[in-house]
Amino acid sequence: MDIQTSPDPVARARELGAEIVAAADEIERTRRIPGALLERLHASRLFRMLLPRSAGGDETEPAVYVAAIEELARHDASIAWNTFALNSASLIAAYLEPAVNHAIFADPRSVVAWGPPNASRATAVEGGYRLTGRWDFGSGTRQARWIGAHCHVVEADGALRLNRFNQPTVRTLLFPASDVTLLDTWQTIGLRGTASDSYSVNDLFVSEAFSSTREDPTLRRERGPLYAFTMQGVYATGCAAVGIGIARAMLSEFIALASRKAPRNLGRLADNTVVQADVARAEARLGSARAYLIETLSTIYADADDVAPIEVADRARVRLACTNAIHGAAEVVDFAYKGAGVDAIFPGSPFERRFRDMHTLSQQIQARSAHFEQVGQILLGVPPEVFL
């Protein structure tokens, strides 16, 4: 099969599986994606799943996108993480003018990356902004040709620019990666291959045209049900998909181990009734979390408007399904790691790296238990003022 022409992104992700596995140790050791594998990822168009067709992307529906990211994560979580991070950043194209999208995405190997918002501020000037600052957790910045920075805007009179919610706006500014200083800061226990480093710019001018905002989904220019979802919601689906993929791979490895391992003075794990019941519970927990996420995304996508953003109630459903999936995946990973005993503690085992990757992912904002509180408020009729 030609990976460049397969219409199914899940099949394209699966086709890369053996190459990703072969490169996994190098990715972990160097904290970089090998050049040959990076070229294959570009050729597969897996970095362009969420990019609008008008900008040269594939505009993949969310449930299929989740399945493709999950497939990558079964083979290597860092590859899956950066793939979802780069896809998430490409959603900004739905808010930009066609000429700007052409400048950024006309090169088929051009992708955008950024780190989360912080206290940085841009100064509004004639024609655009002046920007100085540093951002952390820049997943995909080592692969990106364009970088983004989320920041507040200081007007000429010194006041912060406000959005339609009467809160300080967060503007996203886009600029070539050549304008950025990358800082080697990503020394973590897991997801090491993402190289989610820090980056900085100094007194950089960014044209108004190369800016937008992620905080108001009514401002999108691109029609279609995919872009009716909020950018924050779609981002969460990618994070959940990585967790599901890690957990699925780890549970499969535990089942394989259980068929051959007999702990000292005991029979095979597979013949132990407690293990049998626990495997069944783990399968149910992971399978139901995945099914809930896929069903939620599919239903909302089918009913989404071509122009209007999805309602707050549907945004809450997306958030709940994603948070539930991440928590469920972490539970299954913990079961498999504990159940594997000493087989799980050695570097290079099928368990050790996945355990570290999962517990790095679970520290991310998408896994916050506070999301349940916010969703509960919406379900009970007391929604927060702004919910994306």
Side-chain angles (χ1 to χ4, degrees), residues 279-292:
V279 165
R281 291 190 185 96
E283 177 60 41
R285 180 68 174 100
L286 184 60
S288 60
R290 183 186 188 276
Y292 178 45

Side-chain angles (χ1 to χ4, degrees), residues 58-328:
D58 294 338
E59 211 167 307
T60 305
E61 68 176 272
V64 176
Y65 164 70
V66 162
I69 298 296
E70 175 190 355
E71 180 64 33
L72 291 175
R74 293 186 186 195
H75 305 294
D76 185 82
S78 290
I79 291 290
W81 184 277
N82 276 13
T83 301
F84 108 73
L86 294 170
N87 271 284
S88 298
S90 74
L91 290 167
I92 198 69
Y95 295 77
L96 300 173
E97 293 279 5
V100 175
N101 281 334
H102 181 79
I104 295 173
F105 296 108
D107 181 341
R109 281 164 172 69
S110 183
V111 290
V112 175
W114 54 47
N118 57 24
S120 298
R121 296 181 175 188
T123 302
V125 297
E126 183 177 356
Y129 306 90
R130 282 282 171 188
L131 179 64
T132 296
R134 167 178 162 157
W135 295 264
D136 304 311
F137 307 108
S139 301
T141 49
R142 297 285 174 177
Q143 292 83 52
R145 297 193 179 179
W146 285 76
I147 303 291
H150 312 299
C151 49
H152 294 300
V153 176
V154 180
E155 302 285 17
D157 63 0
L160 287 178
R161 181 180 296 177
L162 302 181
N163 58 26
R164 70 183 179 93
F165 308 109
N166 205 35
Q167 296 179 358
T169 192
V170 178
R171 197 82 181 156
T172 300
L173 310 186
L174 302 169
F175 35 86
S178 57
D179 292 332
V180 166
T181 299
L182 289 174
L183 308 170
D184 190 352
T185 57
W186 190 247
Q187 302 288 343
T188 56
I189 65 167
L191 294 174
R192 291 174 55 79
T194 66
S196 300
D197 289 318
S198 305
Y199 58 97
S200 64
V201 298
N202 184 46
D203 194 30
L204 178 67
F205 174 77
V206 180
S207 169
E208 179 69 46
F210 286 81
S211 73
S212 188
T213 181
R214 306 182 302 159
E215 63 190 2
D216 189 348
T218 66
L219 298 178
R220 66 170 169 142
R221 300 175 182 274
E222 193 74 29
R223 301 172 71 92
L226 174 59
Y227 308 109
F229 288 77
T230 66
M231 289 183 66
Q232 291 84 347
V234 179
Y235 184 95
T237 69
C239 185
V242 177
I244 292 170
I246 296 171
R248 172 54 62 195
M250 206 155 166
L251 183 58
S252 297
E253 290 289 353
F254 176 75
I255 290 171
L257 177 69
S259 70
R260 63 179 186 272
K261 179 174 180 177
R264 186 183 307 169
N265 300 323
L266 297 172
R268 280 193 325 156
L269 288 175
D271 298 323
N272 184 292
T273 57
V274 173
V275 172
Q276 292 165 357
D278 285 346
V279 165
R281 291 190 185 96
E283 177 60 41
R285 180 68 174 100
L286 184 60
S288 60
R290 183 186 188 276
Y292 178 45
L293 176 60
I294 295 296
E295 189 273 339
T296 297
L297 296 176
S298 298
T299 301
I300 294 173
Y301 181 82
D303 294 337
D305 190 79
D306 213 33
V307 177
I310 63 173
E311 298 292 338
V312 168
D314 283 338
R315 298 176 202 178
R317 290 171 61 198
V318 172
R319 176 60 66 184
L320 180 59
C322 291
T323 307
N324 178 66
I326 294 169
H327 284 234

Side-chain angles (χ1 to χ4, degrees), residues 13-71:
R14 188 175 300 119
E15 185 77 3
L16 286 172
E19 294 172 67
I20 293 172
V21 170
D25 287 344
E26 181 182 351
I27 294 168
E28 172 83 1
R29 184 181 68 257
T30 64
R31 295 176 296 123
R32 299 291 184 271
I33 300 175
L37 179 56
L38 182 60
E39 286 303 305
R40 288 282 282 163
L41 285 162
H42 279 300
S44 74
R45 297 181 60 83
L46 291 173
F47 292 147
R48 294 197 160 210
M49 285 187 283
L50 300 184
L51 186 67
R53 293 189 187 95
S54 64
D58 294 338
E59 211 167 307
T60 305
E61 68 176 272
V64 176
Y65 164 70
V66 162
I69 298 296
E70 175 190 355
E71 180 64 33

